[in-house]
Amino acid sequence: SVRKIFLDIIFHYIAVWDLRSGGDKKELRAMYILKEIEEGRFLKSIRKTLLSLDFEKSKRIIFCLLDLCKCKDYITVFRRALRELYPKANLYIHSENLRKFTIFTGVDKTKEEVERMEMLEKLFLPISYETDVFWKYHFGIIGVDESMKIGKTAIY
């Protein structure tokens, strides 16, 4: 009887702790995948770049990867992953070629940022897709005054 009371108390404690921690199955999978990547078991080509991100961002990228496995909607998941790393980012799909994207990130072009963009492309886009990346300056769009500022517009 003391044993039953003790087990009851322990299970209630674990249930409250689990409720407060907010972990779920998706989070556990992401943690497991991150651990596997850290140990070098797979995704070796992007290991360094993914682990250079802070923990929350790398976990969110893994969440996007898990979502891609579920829904297979490359464009939506790529856009979400892009926004995780680049909050100001815009993704434009060419009207003539649906497999060609133009991406504006809103950040300076550095070696680390180029590696991050390549990582996103490798993880979330099929090989046949093409991307043009604009870094700090947005390309001009006729009729949109914010994109047509002298000295702050990239030529496309």
Side-chain angles (χ1 to χ4, degrees), residues 94-122:
H94 288 240
S95 58
E96 298 91 29
N97 183 358
L98 297 177
R99 293 178 183 261
K100 187 169 184 175
F101 299 136
T102 302
I103 301 167
F104 166 69
T105 62
V107 299
D108 289 327
K109 183 179 181 179
T110 62
K111 182 183 175 201
E112 293 82 19
E113 296 301 336
V114 170
E115 288 174 355
R116 287 177 184 174
M117 183 58 68
E118 288 173 355
M119 174 190 70
L120 290 178
E121 291 172 7
K122 284 179 186 176

Side-chain angles (χ1 to χ4, degrees), residues 34-87:
L34 277 172
K35 182 181 172 197
E36 296 282 311
I37 292 170
E38 223 173 69
E39 293 172 356
R41 295 192 183 176
F42 65 97
L43 294 177
K44 292 177 184 178
S45 63
I46 59 136
R47 178 181 180 270
K48 181 182 168 196
T49 307
L50 185 65
L51 296 178
S52 72
L53 300 172
D54 67 60
F55 178 73
E56 278 302 313
K57 282 188 179 181
S58 58
K59 190 169 72 171
R60 290 182 184 277
I61 295 299
I62 298 298
F63 283 165
C64 291
L65 196 58
L66 291 170
D67 289 344
L68 181 63
C69 292
K70 269 188 187 175
C71 72
K72 307 281 191 250
D73 184 3
Y74 298 103
I75 297 170
T76 303
V77 176
F78 178 70
R79 180 176 283 136
R80 194 168 350 124
L82 188 65
R83 287 281 171 100
E84 291 294 340
L85 295 186
Y86 307 103

Side-chain angles (χ1 to χ4, degrees), residues 12-26:
H12 277 86
Y13 176 77
I14 290 172
V16 169
W17 176 70
D18 183 45
L19 189 64
R20 288 184 182 160
S21 69
D24 60 354
K25 193 187 321 184
K26 188 176 182 180

